[in-house]
Amino acid sequence: MRYSLPLTGMAVGLLLASTVQANETLDVDMHKVSAEGTEESIGTIAIEHTEHGVLLTPSLTDLEPGVYGFHVHQNASCEPAENDSGEMTAALSAGGHYDPEETGTHQGPYGDGHLGDLPVLTVNEDGEANLPVLAPRLSMEDMPGRSLMIHAGGDTYSDEPHLGGGGARMACGVVES
């Protein structure tokens, strides 16, 4: 019995620590990107835990109206890098879509493929993106050390014809802890 109080206190402490972590919000600064590097800021995306997964709430401006591919990428970088053809490519240092299970397939945010596949990002007629998206298979622990990427064009969530990610990388932000 004498040990039940310290163990209970320790359990409560761990529970409170995990609750604080679960309620943490990460704010990601998003920037337009090009083959020359990171460019002007377009706003932020708030990332927070919910009981249904990770909620990403954009507060972005200065974008063309439309629907864009939106993904979590493997690396915490938005720097350009040389592609296989020797050309500098915007935000290529971010690597590919976050895929810790190494599925090697795009199946969208509700499928069994890349964990980094997010619902599309919608930009309204005023050039603003402010509609939250839910990533049901992600947790807050998945996010630090990654990057968020917005791709030109929509997202097919398939591997053919163009790897499911839409078009070129057009905006990026590093997720820090």
Side-chain angles (χ1 to χ4, degrees):
M1 271 302 270
R2 143 179 153 183
Y3 295 105
S4 65
L5 185 59
L7 290 177
T8 302
M10 187 169 130
V12 169
L14 288 173
L15 180 60
L16 288 175
S18 68
T19 301
V20 169
Q21 185 177 15
N23 291 331
E24 177 184 17
T25 298
L26 299 173
D27 289 317
V28 179
D29 292 320
M30 298 295 292
H31 295 266
K32 289 185 178 178
V33 291
S34 71
E36 287 75 44
T38 303
E39 299 178 354
E40 70 267 14
S41 173
I42 58 170
T44 62
I45 296 177
I47 304 170
E48 60 188 307
H49 165 81
T50 75
E51 65 183 80
H52 302 288
V54 172
L55 185 68
L56 298 102
T57 305
S59 181
L60 305 174
T61 60
D62 197 29
L63 294 166
E64 291 294 319
V67 176
Y68 296 91
F70 188 33
H71 304 98
V72 176
H73 279 245
Q74 184 65 38
N75 304 321
S77 177
C78 293
E79 294 302 313
E82 200 171 285
N83 66 19
D84 293 338
S85 303
E87 298 173 4
M88 292 302 286
T89 302
L92 193 59
S93 293
H97 296 176
Y98 179 52
D99 188 20
E101 301 297 321
E102 298 181 7
T103 65
T105 184
H106 298 79
Q107 294 184 23
Y110 305 101
D112 292 327
H114 299 163
L115 279 181
D117 286 344
L118 300 174
V120 294
L121 184 77
T122 303
V123 177
N124 67 24
E125 64 277 354
D126 295 324
E128 300 170 345
N130 51 28
L131 292 175
V133 299
L134 182 66
R137 299 183 306 135
L138 286 172
S139 71
M140 291 300 283
E141 291 77 25
D142 292 315
M143 302 308 293
R146 310 273 172 246
S147 57
L148 296 180
M149 191 73 63
I150 301 171
H151 293 266
D155 198 328
T156 63
Y157 300 123
S158 67
D159 297 321
E160 296 294 331
H162 179 52
L163 300 181
R169 298 168 185 213
M170 59 179 268
C172 180
V174 173
V175 182
E176 300 184 22
S177 54

